[in-house]
Amino acid sequence: MARKHENWSRSTLAAQALHLIDEATGAVVPGIEPASTFARGPDYEPMGGFNYARYANPTTQATEKVLAALDGGADALAFNAGMAAVVSLFETVRAGQHIAAPQIMYHGGQDWLRRLSETRGIALTLFDQTREGALEEALRPGETAILWIETPVNPTWDVIDIERAAKAAHDAGAILGVDSTVAPPCTTRSLELGADIVFHSATKYLGGHSDLTAGALICAEANALWDEIKQVRKLTGGILSPFDAWLLLRGMRTLFIRFERASDNAMAIARALADHPRVAQVLYPGLESHPGHEIAKKQMRGGFGGMMSILVEGDAAAARRVATATKLFIPATSLGGVESLIEHRKSVEGPHSIVPPNLLRLSVGIEDVRDLIADLEQALEAI
Ligand SMILES: *Cc1c(COP(=O)(O)O)cnc(C)c1O
């Protein structure tokens, strides 16, 4: 059933998964349609508009409608991992074209861009996202196909001004793609700030329960580039499966409330650790002392999120000792779930990592914040 009230707020749309009530049964939750193939009618046309599940299927399509609505986009595509979405987007870049991206960003995405530049004749510039003007200098008018940004930048949480990046990209004839995994649409709506395509690893906040891997692309305009991305997904089989699409649809219903709680918890932890003798620095865009705080306030309207890093007093070994001394924070990678995680980032990022060796990344969940703070305080005793 289509959305009845255009004026509902995004949190209402999320809570009711667009009010997609099944007209045949009255079910208030969409069902799972696992069919791999779809029958044709007497005129040999597909009976329900579907052909084959790798192209599109009803459950994944329902999830995509919610994704498009939350980000205010013209269309959305769901993928079986965030990286499948990233790869499908960059598959549209031709030899001789150029890509610009921040020097600190999600390492898997950067590994893929490096691979393109080494094997496909595509030029790549990795700019210093902390230096004023570096983003603009990285662009090559007429040559740059995609300016790719991530904000806040993982795992230092530098903030990039989306509106300004969009203007720079468009002036150079490029599109702006934003990895908004850490700032989901309950806080940042990149398309409204001028981005052409927004990406989420839906494995993280959108799913929210660490029980699926998924990716999403949402476009401002369903143009020729978008058709090409759709074609790439169709041909490579990157579509999200009906079961995982259904889990994602369920997860998104509580997105706003989970994100709000995680943001409150992270802010309390940031304040509690800011003056801790064994913590050299807390990196969190919600702190007034953070260099990106003013821009974050402007483009993260629904909270600064649950992602932060702490630089401990000491070296990589000291940081790893803290990460293994927590009892509540789980030492594991990933982010955006209801449970809190801690990670020594340098150990997982591989040879290109320029992340400080004493950095611990926290993905703050929705537990009682007093338990979380007590756990970090006892773990810091390990230094
Ligand atoms: C996890 C992550 C990705 C990759 O997504 P997967 O779902 O793991 O494939 C990309 N960008 C960011 C910021 C991420 O955290």
Side-chain angles (χ1 to χ4, degrees):
M1 192 185 289
R3 177 161 37 138
K4 284 185 197 159
H5 300 288
E6 294 291 334
N7 58 349
W8 283 344
S9 79
R10 302 276 164 89
S11 61
T12 300
L13 293 177
Q16 292 208 2
L18 285 191
H19 205 77
L20 294 170
I21 294 166
D22 186 306
E23 277 173 354
T25 64
V28 300
V29 174
I32 304 177
E33 178 47 75
S36 63
T37 190
F38 297 84
R40 288 168 181 262
D43 53 359
Y44 213 67
E45 285 300 303
M47 290 170 69
F50 294 96
N51 263 304
Y52 185 59
R54 170 158 55 78
Y55 307 170
N57 67 75
T59 316
T60 306
Q61 198 170 77
T63 304
E64 288 168 344
K65 284 194 178 133
V66 178
L67 288 164
L70 294 186
D71 260 303
D75 199 8
L77 287 170
F79 294 81
N80 53 32
M83 282 306 297
V86 170
V87 165
S88 298
L89 168 62
F90 284 101
E91 201 57 33
T92 63
V93 181
R94 307 279 184 268
Q97 289 188 313
H98 171 252
I99 297 166
Q103 115 194 332
I104 294 196
M105 58 175 276
Y106 176 70
H107 66 109
Q110 195 175 85
D111 286 349
W112 185 255
L113 298 185
R114 284 178 197 281
R115 188 171 187 282
L116 288 183
S117 84
E118 284 159 14
T119 63
R120 304 261 191 102
I122 293 166
L124 172 67
T125 303
L126 298 175
F127 59 86
D128 178 356
Q129 72 287 342
T130 64
R131 187 169 63 77
E132 172 69 24
L135 178 149
E136 283 82 359
E137 284 164 33
L139 296 168
R140 300 186 190 166
E143 207 183 312
T144 307
I146 301 178
L147 168 61
W148 181 250
I149 62 168
E150 179 178 317
T151 183
V153 174
N154 183 12
T156 52
W157 320 115
D158 303 319
V159 180
I160 299 177
D161 189 324
I162 298 168
E163 254 178 322
R164 183 171 158 178
K167 183 172 182 314
H170 297 154
D171 286 351
I175 65 155
L176 175 68
V178 179
D179 181 342
S180 213
T181 299
V182 171
C186 50
T187 195
T188 298
R189 288 205 288 275
S190 303
L191 299 179
E192 289 172 6
L193 298 171
D196 300 280
I197 291 197
V198 58
F199 158 75
H200 302 283
S201 166
T203 310
K204 317 293 171 52
Y205 281 111
L206 298 183
H209 295 77
S210 306
D211 55 8
L212 71 116
T213 68
L217 293 175
I218 301 102
C219 63
E221 204 188 306
N223 52 19
L225 179 89
W226 185 250
D227 286 341
E228 193 180 344
I229 297 169
K230 267 186 163 161
Q231 185 69 0
V232 171
R233 187 187 72 167
K234 181 174 168 180
L235 294 175
T236 57
I239 192 170
L240 186 62
S241 78
F243 286 103
D244 285 340
W246 187 86
L247 269 180
L248 175 55
L249 193 66
R250 186 174 68 164
M252 286 193 288
R253 295 170 84 113
T254 54
L255 170 67
F256 282 71
I257 193 165
R258 283 186 284 104
F259 193 82
E260 198 179 304
R261 171 71 171 242
S263 298
D264 290 348
N265 281 356
M267 185 64 96
I269 291 170
R271 294 210 193 287
L273 295 186
D275 300 318
H276 194 285
R278 290 188 172 134
V279 174
Q281 204 183 347
V282 175
L283 306 174
Y284 185 60
L287 290 178
E288 291 78 6
S289 59
H290 188 280
H293 181 67
E294 286 307 315
I295 303 168
K297 254 188 359 201
K298 191 179 72 154
Q299 65 190 29
M300 299 181 83
R301 298 255 177 88
F304 300 104
M307 295 310 298
M308 59 193 290
S309 295
I310 56 175
L311 304 184
V312 301
E313 287 291 356
D315 56 8
R320 271 196 302 266
R321 277 206 299 282
V322 174
T324 50
T326 55
K327 293 173 182 155
L328 181 55
F329 275 82
I330 302 165
T333 195
S334 199
L335 63 93
V338 290
E339 65 288 294
S340 293
L341 307 177
I342 187 166
E343 176 176 55
H344 183 241
R345 201 65 197 160
K346 187 97 186 165
S347 300
V348 300
E349 283 205 358
H352 293 294
S353 175
I354 54 170
V355 166
N358 60 339
L359 180 145
L360 289 173
R361 185 179 90 172
L362 306 182
S363 172
V364 178
I366 66 167
E367 304 92 335
D368 188 320
V369 74
R370 290 166 298 188
D371 293 333
L372 295 174
I373 292 172
D375 187 43
L376 291 170
E377 284 176 342
Q378 69 78 27
L380 284 162
E381 301 294 321
I383 297 179

